[in-house]
Amino acid sequence: MRGNFQISRIEFLITKKWGKRGGGGGEGCCPLNKDNNEPGDSTLIYRPEPGRKRLGGSECTAEREGRKAMANKLISEMGLPRSIANDALSLTEFELMELLDVNLKEVISAVAHISEIACPPYQTALSLLEQRIQVEYLAGHLPTRLEGLDAALCGGIPFGVLTELVGPAGIGKTQFCLKLSLLASLPSSYGGLNGRVIYIDVESKFSSRRMIEIGVNSFPEVFYMEGMVQEMAGRILVLRPASLSEFTESLQQIKVSILQNQVKLLVVDGMSALVTGEFEQGPSRQHPFAWHISFIKSLAEFSRIPVVMTNQVRSRSSDEASRYSFQVQSKGDNIEEITRSDSHLVAALGIHWAHAVTVRLVLEARSGHRFIKVAKSPISPPLAFPFDVTSSGIILLNNDGIEMAGPQINTIHHQGSS
Amino acid sequence: SFMIVGVVDKGHKAVLKPEDKLKISENEALEILKAASHGCRLDSFEGSHAIVNGAQTAWEMLHDEAMLTRITTSCTDLDNILGGGISCKEVTEIGGVPGIGKTQFGYLFAILDFCINLELLLLLRGNRNYRIQLAVNVQIPADYGGLGGKAIYIDTEGSFMVERAMQIAEACIKDMLEYDGLLRKDSQTRHLKMQPKELLGNIFYFRICSYTEQIAMINFLEKFVSEHKDVKVVIIDSITLHFRQDFDDMALRTRVLSGMALKLMKLAKTFSLAVVLLNQVTTKYSEGSFHLSLALGDSWSHACTNRVILYWNGNERYAYIDKSPSLRSASAPYSVLYNFAVLCNHASRKLGEI
């Protein structure tokens, strides 16, 4: 029980240093270990034993979620320690020795014990797969009903990760979102997820009428039934935040309501509009919406729903980097060629965002035709499908797709579309 | 002749003071020093330890390196520039822009460390004359068992797609079966019974959601690996994420990162693991223009033993050895296929051609 003693000692001394905090300093915190229960006095982390397999326990996950979003903030910034583990693990061994007035060996064993408790439990990849197959619709995919795209994405828009739709204005991103919203709200007998949809409409592009038109034309058998239009439309909740801070607030509320209200899809239409003006392009360190990215990702992950976000394009600025320093020397003579082949348009929101999304679908217009390209996906080849916008939403003109080699899968063109 | 600075006895009392100069020959002086140092130590060691505790001579290290196994990347050109593959006792960092294939390498190593019959894979890729400078671990019989590898996959981004791991596992086994069928017609093919799901069962998946958990995980790894001795590779995808966002105290960040790097290196060395860290990309201003560079800053770039950068060169994907103590800077092309993870550009031959 020595380890426990050390942990409580650490807690005591850290409390002493930073002042006592009132009970329940953070959401979702529970006593560090059951034997050492001091209610009302501490904010500690509860973890199931590591090395023990997680059997899809949703209670622990929910608690963890409460901490996830804020866990990146260093404790001392808040003036109050939020978790012992954070402190103990961020300080060096010597600082801890000084703080606790114990020798190195004890510090090492206490840190090892805390690490073991703070470390999340594991699963084998196999049990992950089996869980998904058993529990989720199509092993975790929302079919788009666009055959070629669904095949490329191994079933459809994946659950639990961020999917981005990026393209120039008017290309069809909102149409795609409307169709997806319908698909998520359809009853399971018609291949839908039978759930609610939260549609965050930043640029006021949502049109109920258009959505119903899509519904009536794509699924006439459903929509001609009495009361279905009202039912389906009633499942789609539209939010219109006017600023980033309103959006932040809404996100917090959404987190709570997702599980309670059977929300099966989250759409954020106009992510880039929220941050335009507040975001500096270029190699700046500060990412004003980094918190939002990680929050939405954790939301997607713990609720296992698909999250679709749209992104605009902007012109490539001249100081945009696209090469590594070791590349420059060898390309001295080909610079012109390079700049010509690089498109003038790039996705807004920067490279941090680009790392955070899991699936990126690029919509573009080239010589009068529109294409939807699977630009980034861990499971799909880089295919481009020609598409069109019709009364029933989006349809693919060709289900086989054109394979695009190289980084041109990522480039965005906007020429000559009607 | 030597000048003896001072001699102390066991109780650390000065026996001879620096003022006393001794006129003795070199050999005699060495004898005295040896006797003195032997007397002071509680244990006596042999060989190199006699000089400094815990040290190894370069010769011993050379021998160790020769015995080192490497995990193939399944791409001959890439293996060539890597000296055979990812080293099993070192930390290798792989970075690149989104979509270049970093996570694909992660999946690959998680699955392939089990199928470590390297010659098999290389022959499969059509390169029968290729010789790798590696000594296969003498304890592995010349069949499938290989490193007996299990993998730890630490996911900080939530981007692990189990469907993809399944695809790769299936492709890997399919390739093995075909090779087996073609070449080993006479011997028993007992390892054919492996199922893709078994390979997935050998991957321990941890989902890390904050930098605290990341530090805790790395601290806990030592215990975990000592309890699961068949783990041969640890993949962290990505090392960057939780350290990029609002970590305002840069000094703390640097310190935490370097602490992590040291622990990982020690882990790799102690348990003979291949540690693979995936890193993201940022822009950096140098020499008058903006360049891409791996994230986490300059101090981190010193932390990893080996660094590989994945980049686009025209329409092809290339890997560049940016930093390595023993490998030259070189680039090699690779491609990501959807019935296998990573493959050489050239080896598009059909399986039948050997």
Side-chain angles (χ1 to χ4, degrees), chain A residues 47 50 64 68 71-72 74 77 85-86 89-90 92 95 111 115-116 118-120 122-126 128-129 141 154 158 161 283 294 297 301 319 321-328 331 351-352 354-355 376 378-382 405-408, chain B residues 96-99 102 104 157-158 160-164 166-167 197 200-201 203-213 215-217 219-220 223-224 242 244-246 248 250 252 255 280-281 283 290-292 309-315 320 338:
Chain A
R47 288 268 175 243
R64 285 171 65 203
K68 255 189 222 175
N72 285 335
L74 191 51
E77 282 175 24
N86 210 335
L89 296 174
S90 303
T92 61
E95 284 170 348
V111 167
S115 299
E116 194 172 331
C119 181
Y122 72 90
Q123 267 186 305
T124 62
L126 182 60
L128 256 181
L129 181 68
H141 294 274
C154 293
V161 291
S294 76
K297 268 182 90 128
E301 206 175 312
D319 58 359
S322 61
R323 319 230 147 254
Y324 294 94
S325 45
F326 63 82
Q327 277 182 286
V328 177
K331 286 279 179 187
I351 205 162
H352 188 188
H355 276 297
K376 178 185 178 194
I379 46 178
S380 326
Q408 48 170 302
Chain B
V97 295
K102 306 184 291 293
Q104 304 299 316
E157 298 189 344
F160 183 78
M161 304 219 75
V162 76
E163 303 93 327
R164 181 57 176 153
M166 189 68 176
Q167 271 181 0
K197 290 197 170 175
L200 286 192
I203 304 177
F204 296 113
Y205 175 78
F206 288 85
R207 172 72 174 103
I208 299 289
C209 306
S210 69
Y211 81 87
T212 315
E213 286 188 16
I215 303 173
M217 174 83 232
N219 289 343
F220 176 59
K223 180 159 182 232
F224 189 85
H242 298 298
R244 276 187 102 165
Q245 332 172 165
D246 39 53
D248 295 330
M250 281 299 156
L252 177 64
R255 194 191 47 189
Q280 293 174 356
V281 151
T283 46
F290 289 103
H291 294 295
L292 290 176
I309 298 183
L310 307 177
Y311 65 100
W312 285 109
N313 188 358
N315 272 353
Y320 174 72
Y338 293 89

Side-chain angles (χ1 to χ4, degrees), chain A residues 177-192:
Chain A
C177 291
L178 290 175
K179 182 90 186 265
L180 282 177
S181 309
L182 264 182
L183 290 168
S185 60
L186 278 183
S188 351
S189 43
Y190 296 99

Side-chain angles (χ1 to χ4, degrees), chain B residues 134-291:
Chain B
L134 70 84
V136 178
N137 189 325
V138 293
Q139 287 146 358
I140 305 173
D143 73 338
Y144 230 51
L147 291 181
K150 298 206 172 173
I152 295 178
Y153 195 100
I154 299 173
D155 186 3
T156 62
E157 298 189 344
S159 59
F160 183 78
M161 304 219 75
V162 76
E163 303 93 327
R164 181 57 176 153
M166 189 68 176
Q167 271 181 0
I168 296 173
E170 284 170 348
C172 183
I173 291 185
K174 185 169 140 249
D175 279 348
M176 298 291 163
L177 287 178
E178 296 208 35
Y179 169 70
D180 238 39
L182 288 165
L183 268 130
R184 293 187 176 209
K185 295 177 187 116
D186 46 342
S187 61
Q188 288 103 344
T189 50
R190 51 194 162 118
H191 38 271
L192 290 185
K193 310 215 174 51
M194 183 170 313
Q195 294 296 319
K197 290 197 170 175
E198 277 179 56
L199 291 182
L200 286 192
N202 287 335
I203 304 177
F204 296 113
Y205 175 78
F206 288 85
R207 172 72 174 103
I208 299 289
C209 306
S210 69
Y211 81 87
T212 315
E213 286 188 16
Q214 196 165 331
I215 303 173
M217 174 83 232
I218 290 175
N219 289 343
F220 176 59
L221 269 180
E222 193 176 332
K223 180 159 182 232
F224 189 85
V225 176
S226 52
E227 284 167 9
H228 295 87
K229 288 257 188 285
D230 42 4
V231 168
K232 284 299 162 196
V233 67
V234 175
I235 298 149
I236 304 187
D237 179 15
S238 59
I239 195 91
T240 334
L241 186 74
H242 298 298
F243 289 89
R244 276 187 102 165
Q245 332 172 165
D246 39 53
F247 214 118
D248 295 330
D249 184 354
M250 281 299 156
L252 177 64
R253 186 181 94 157
T254 308
R255 194 191 47 189
V256 168
L257 283 175
S258 58
M260 254 174 31
L262 287 174
K263 286 186 197 127
L264 289 170
M265 283 197 265
K266 183 179 165 208
L267 198 75
K269 185 157 182 295
T270 320
F271 296 100
S272 291
L273 304 177
V275 176
V276 178
L277 308 178
L278 302 182
N279 196 358
Q280 293 174 356
V281 151
T282 182
T283 46
K284 187 168 141 180
Y285 188 81
S286 74
E287 293 159 20
S289 60
F290 289 103
H291 294 295

Side-chain angles (χ1 to χ4, degrees), chain A residues 174 177-178 181 197-201 206 236-239 267 269:
Chain A
T174 304
C177 291
L178 290 175
S181 309
V197 175
I198 293 183
Y199 194 107
I200 299 182
D201 181 24
F206 185 88
I236 311 213
L237 302 155
V238 181
L239 286 168
V267 178
D269 188 3

Side-chain angles (χ1 to χ4, degrees), chain B residues 339-352:
Chain B
N339 53 4
F340 202 79
V342 179
L343 190 65
C344 260
N345 272 332
H346 317 309
S348 48
R349 303 185 203 187
K350 283 179 280 195
L351 286 166

